């Protein structure tokens, strides 16, 4: 994501009714934030948020929280949400590393990771959002039957992500190396902004779904 400093974006974020300020004070209290006890799905590294808002429109009975570290990017999501005004969408400007301070155990039903930063250097592996270190954090906030869904066009990052699943103690529930040509996994697929851009350049999209369910069933599509 290009880094641009958009004047005033921090102020807009601080004042927006769609962002949650001091999110660590909401830990265990997200039902109150949304005013209902519907399932909570989050996207970590949301970017401009179109994917999350499209899902929210399709699924009014699910609450969505979009997490993004850069205010200039989050500002774009807020501007879209001001037009769409989806009641089941909130945003947090934060660093994903702190996620366990913001959600209580079992508070989250599903985590989406879409086109996460690759951090190609070995010494930065821990910063990759599908790393075992991050899976350990997701383990602390997801319901027992909760899932992580990860999409990318980056082969190296995807291979890394697949290698992390077993050592982290998770199960690979489904995997595809060509999402858009996989009838089963592509059903109902909502494209992200990056997904649209990279697939239009001819890149295949990779996707996995992982969980901590007891089964060791590998569904190779
Ligand atoms: N999910 C969007 C954007 C992908 S780009 C899409 O698919 O179109 C990755 C985004 O994740 C960037 O906006 C980046 O700022 C954000 N991001 C990367 N690492 C993050 C982290 N550790 N915490 C929060 N956001 C992060």
């Amino acid at each position: 994501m290009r880094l641009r400093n958009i004047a005033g974006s921090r102020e807009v974020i601080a004042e927006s009714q769609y962002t949650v300020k001091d999110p660590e004070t909401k830990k265990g209290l997200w039902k109150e934030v949304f005013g209902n006890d519907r399932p909570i799905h989050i996207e970590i590294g949301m970017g401009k948020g179109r994917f999350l808002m499209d899902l929210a429109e399709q699924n009014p009975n699910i609450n969505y929280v979009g997490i993004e570290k850069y205010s200039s990017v989050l500002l774009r999501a807020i501007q879209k949400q001001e037009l769409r005004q989806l009641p089941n969408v909130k945003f947090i400007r934060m660093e994903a590393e702190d996620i366990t301070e913001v959600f209580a155990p079992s508070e989250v039903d599903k985590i989406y990771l879409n086109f996460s930063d690759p951090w190609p250097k070995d010494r930065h592996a821990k910063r990759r959002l599908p790393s075992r270190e991050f899976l350990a954090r997701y383990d602390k906030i997801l319901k027992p039957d909760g899932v992580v869904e990860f999409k990318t066009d980056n082969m190296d990052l995807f291979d890394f992500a697949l290698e992390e699943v077993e050592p982290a103690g998770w199960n690979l529930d489904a995997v595809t190396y060509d999402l858009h040509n996989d009838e089963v996994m592509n059903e109902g697929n909502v494209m992200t902004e990056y997904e649209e851009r990279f697939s239009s350049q001819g890149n295949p999209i990779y996707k996995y779904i992982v969980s901590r369910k007891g089964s060791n069933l590998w569904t190779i599509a």
Side-chain angles (χ1 to χ4, degrees):
M1 186 66 66
R2 243 174 319 145
L3 273 185
R4 272 172 306 167
N5 247 330
I6 298 173
S9 56
R10 292 220 175 210
E11 288 75 6
V12 173
I13 290 165
E15 279 159 30
S16 172
Q17 58 174 306
Y18 301 115
T19 58
V20 175
K21 271 66 73 175
D22 304 319
E24 56 292 337
T25 64
K26 308 297 183 217
K27 184 172 176 170
L29 301 172
W30 282 91
K31 289 183 170 98
E32 290 172 23
V33 172
F34 285 103
N36 60 56
D37 60 0
R38 293 171 187 156
I40 294 178
H41 295 187
I42 70 178
E43 183 183 8
I44 304 183
M46 163 192 67
K48 298 178 192 166
R50 197 190 62 198
F51 167 84
L52 195 86
M53 288 181 252
D54 286 351
L55 280 182
E57 198 164 74
Q58 287 177 15
N59 305 290
N61 291 326
I62 295 171
N63 295 321
Y64 292 89
V65 181
I67 289 163
E68 170 56 49
K69 66 177 168 183
Y70 288 125
S71 35
S72 56
V73 182
L74 179 54
L75 178 66
R76 300 299 179 208
I78 293 171
Q79 289 167 338
K80 284 191 196 140
Q81 168 67 338
E82 274 163 4
L83 297 173
R84 297 177 75 164
Q85 302 197 355
L86 298 157
N88 52 336
V89 170
K90 296 283 180 204
F91 305 125
I92 311 174
R93 192 186 68 75
M94 65 173 275
E95 166 57 54
E97 240 178 65
D98 303 326
I99 197 82
T100 57
E101 286 159 40
V102 168
F103 295 98
S106 294
E107 201 165 20
V108 175
D109 289 77
K110 193 187 274 201
I111 298 175
Y112 292 103
L113 308 174
N114 293 317
F115 298 81
S116 309
D117 294 359
W119 292 105
K121 292 188 179 131
D122 284 347
R123 70 169 190 278
H124 291 148
K126 287 181 187 174
R127 299 186 190 175
R128 299 173 192 151
L129 294 182
S131 66
R132 65 191 71 185
E133 288 81 5
F134 270 97
L135 288 172
R137 295 183 180 107
Y138 308 150
D139 183 44
K140 289 189 178 141
I141 63 170
L142 267 182
K143 286 220 163 67
D145 62 348
V147 297
V148 175
E149 298 199 9
F150 171 51
K151 292 197 276 191
T152 184
D153 70 323
N154 186 310
M155 172 75 89
D156 288 341
L157 181 64
F158 193 62
D159 284 344
F160 167 82
L162 286 172
E163 284 165 15
E164 293 293 275
V165 175
E166 213 186 298
W170 289 59
N171 300 305
L172 186 61
D173 293 339
V175 60
T176 175
Y177 292 87
D178 190 358
L179 175 63
H180 296 170
N181 289 303
D182 183 316
E183 243 178 71
V184 176
M185 286 186 76
N186 199 44
E187 206 192 322
N189 182 52
V190 171
M191 287 223 250
T192 77
E193 277 145 327
Y194 272 50
E195 183 173 356
E196 216 155 76
R197 191 190 309 167
F198 294 128
S199 63
S200 74
Q201 292 169 6
N203 298 5
I205 304 303
Y206 315 121
K207 175 173 178 176
Y208 81 29
I209 303 174
V210 297
S211 71
R212 299 152 300 158
K213 279 175 235 164
S215 90
N216 274 313
L217 185 69
W218 284 47
T219 314
I220 309 292

